Amino acid sequence: MFHTADPKDIKEGKITDIYFARTIEILKAKKADKWVKAEFITKNLPSGWTWGVLSGIEECVELLNDLKVSVRAMKEGTIFEPLQPVLELEGMYTEFGLYETALLGLICQASGIATKAARCKKLAGERLVISFGARRMHPILAPMIERSAYIGGCDGVAVAKSAELIGEEPMGTMPHALIIILGDTVEALKAFHEVIDPKIKRVALVDTFGDEKFEAIAAAEALGKQLFAVRLDTPSSRRGNFLRILEEVRWELDLRGYEDVKIFVSGGIDEDSIPELNRFVDAYGIGTSISNAPVIDFAMDIIEVEGRPLAKRGKMSGSKRVFRCIKCHADKMIPFQKTATRCECGGMLEEILVPFMKEGRLLDKLPRPKAVREYVLSQMRRLPVPPTAVGKS
Ligand SMILES: [Zn+2]
C-alpha cells in the first residue's frame, strides 16, 4: 500500500492532530461549544522573503464545502505579506476545529511552492521556467506541487497528470535514458524526431557522452531548423565554469547559423544562479528548489469568541479587513467594524480579504489555474526583482 491518506480520510477529519479531536470531544461533552472566528496568518516568511503567493485555497474550499462555516479569504494567487489574514473561518468551533491540521497543510506547502516559483519566474523574466521537481516529492503530491508551481509563474509542468489538472500540455525534452539506450545523442534525437508528434518541440540533450559544444553542433546539424533547443544538464562534477560553457555553446551555434536554437538548462538551478545564467539561457528546468520550497508557517488562531474580540498573547484580536491601494499597491489592515475607502496616496482601496463561502456554499466560481497564474504575474510586474544571495554580494 501507499503510505498516504486518501481524500475521504481528510474529509472525515482523520488527518488531525489528536488534541483537536480531544478538544471537540470535551466541548461536546460539556456542551461548551462556541461561535468563533479564526484567522490564518503567518508572522514571518522563510528565507528572508518579504511577500508570499497564496496557493491552496481551492483545496480548502473542497474541505470546507460541506460544513456550516462562513469563509472570507484572499483569492488564490494573491500576493500577501506577514501578519495579513489570508483566510478567516466563522462558525461553531466544533464544526471546523478538527480540520485545522489539514487546512494548514493545504496552504502552507502550496503557498511556499507558488512563492518560490514566482521568485524564479521574476528573476528569469521572459525566459521559460518549467517545473521539473515532481520526482523529488511523494508522487501523490505531484499534481498539487506542479499546480502551485504553475500558478506561481512556471510556464509549464513536466508531469502528465499535473498538466491534466491545470489544463495545459505537459512539457519535456528527452532523458539521458533515451540516449544511453540508443547509444548516441544524434541517433536519439533522430529517433525522437521520427516517432514523436511533430507539434512537440525538439530539444536535444547535449551532455551525455561528449562535450556540450560538439554535441550541440551535431544536434543542430542533424535537425537544422527543426531543432528548437539544446538542453545542458551538465553534472556538477563536470561544470567547471558553467557560464563559460554556455557562452561557448551559444557562440558555436551562432557561428554556424543556428541563432534560433535556444539554450535550455536544468540540474540544480536555484534563484541564486538565475541572474548570471540569464545572459545565455532561454529556458530553465527547475526541480528541487521549487518542489522542495520552504513551507510558509501559517497558523490558525481564534480571534473572536461569541462576537467579542479574544486572542492569545502575541496575536491581534478581532476580525480584520485587508485593503490594497489600486494606485500605489500599498496594503492597509483595519478592524472589521471600520471602513476605509482611500489610501494616503489618494488611490482607491480594494478589499482583498473577501467573502468566499456562506455556510459552506461557495459564493463565486473558482478561477481556472491559467487565470490564477495571470493574476499572479500581473501582481508580480510591480514588484522588484527579489534579491538573491548573488545579488546581495
Ligand atoms: Zn496608495
Side-chain angles (χ1 to χ4, degrees), residues 266-283:
S266 56
I269 306 291
D270 199 353
E271 289 180 27
D272 293 353
S273 45
I274 295 172
E276 68 168 6
L277 295 178
N278 275 343
R279 219 173 122 203
F280 301 110
V281 170
D282 304 290

Side-chain angles (χ1 to χ4, degrees), residues 325 328 343 345:
C325 173
C328 75
C343 173
C345 81

Side-chain angles (χ1 to χ4, degrees), residues 11-314:
K11 291 285 275 187
E12 287 175 358
K14 290 183 184 166
I15 307 305
T16 188
D17 292 299
I18 193 64
Y19 68 169
F20 294 128
R22 288 176 185 147
T23 297
I24 285 163
E25 191 183 337
I26 296 163
L27 293 176
K28 285 184 172 169
K30 303 294 283 182
K31 299 193 173 17
D33 196 10
K34 286 186 178 153
W35 186 267
V36 300
K37 281 189 183 180
E39 69 180 17
F40 291 70
I41 67 158
T42 182
K43 287 182 182 163
N44 297 293
L45 291 164
S47 309
W49 298 347
T50 54
W51 47 264
V53 176
L54 184 61
S55 180
I57 291 295
E58 189 171 309
E59 284 190 290
C60 289
V61 168
E62 176 65 22
L63 182 51
L64 293 167
N65 66 10
D66 298 325
L67 307 178
K68 288 192 199 70
V69 176
S70 291
V71 178
R72 289 193 306 140
M74 289 187 185
K75 285 194 290 183
E76 190 134 46
T78 300
I79 290 175
F80 64 90
E81 292 171 7
L83 302 179
Q84 293 176 339
V86 298
L87 179 66
E88 185 198 78
L89 307 182
E90 178 179 4
M92 297 305 285
Y93 179 78
T94 59
E95 189 67 22
F96 65 84
L98 194 59
Y99 298 103
E100 177 170 341
T101 308
L103 288 165
L104 288 169
L106 292 175
I107 59 170
C108 290
Q109 188 182 14
S111 299
I113 293 163
T115 306
K116 185 71 178 182
R119 293 173 63 88
C120 290
K121 179 63 184 169
K122 181 77 183 178
L123 288 160
E126 292 307 302
R127 297 160 193 84
L128 289 179
V129 176
I130 317 295
S131 161
F132 271 10
R135 62 186 59 187
R136 305 282 179 247
M137 296 288 137
H138 197 292
I140 210 147
L141 296 180
M144 179 283 289
I145 289 169
E146 295 208 294
R147 178 185 182 278
S148 295
Y150 174 76
I151 69 169
C154 281
D155 297 276
V157 302
V159 169
K161 181 77 184 175
S162 311
E164 194 185 307
L165 176 74
I166 61 178
E168 299 280 342
E169 288 296 319
M171 290 189 185
T173 63
M174 62 171 65
H176 291 108
L178 179 67
I179 297 167
I180 291 170
I181 291 167
L182 293 180
D184 178 74
T185 296
V186 170
E187 285 312 306
L189 180 61
K190 284 181 174 165
F192 189 103
H193 190 51
E194 190 187 313
V195 173
I196 299 298
D197 187 336
K199 75 174 194 213
I200 305 300
K201 292 189 166 99
R202 275 55 180 144
V203 181
L205 180 56
V206 293
D207 59 35
T208 309
F209 294 126
D211 179 81
E212 290 82 349
K213 165 167 75 174
F214 295 108
E215 291 212 358
I217 295 168
E221 286 172 348
L223 244 56
K225 294 283 173 203
Q226 285 168 310
L227 184 67
F228 175 72
V230 292
R231 175 163 75 99
L232 285 79
D233 187 61
T234 309
S236 55
S237 63
R238 303 292 166 84
R239 272 194 186 182
N241 188 332
F242 193 44
L243 198 65
R244 292 299 297 272
I245 298 174
L246 294 170
E247 182 177 29
E248 192 181 329
V249 169
R250 182 74 273 161
W251 174 272
E252 299 290 342
L253 288 171
D254 290 354
L255 189 65
R256 288 163 179 79
Y258 302 113
E259 291 93 345
D260 292 337
V261 173
K262 310 247 183 279
I263 293 182
F264 194 129
V265 299
S266 56
I269 306 291
D270 199 353
E271 289 180 27
D272 293 353
S273 45
I274 295 172
E276 68 168 6
L277 295 178
N278 275 343
R279 219 173 122 203
F280 301 110
V281 170
D282 304 290
Y284 293 96
I286 306 187
T288 309
S289 64
I290 290 179
S291 65
N292 190 41
V295 299
I296 294 179
D297 278 351
F298 287 108
M300 184 186 110
D301 288 289
I302 292 175
I303 44 148
E304 276 187 27
V305 178
E306 300 289 350
R308 291 203 325 276
L310 185 63
K312 71 176 189 185
R313 299 165 71 202

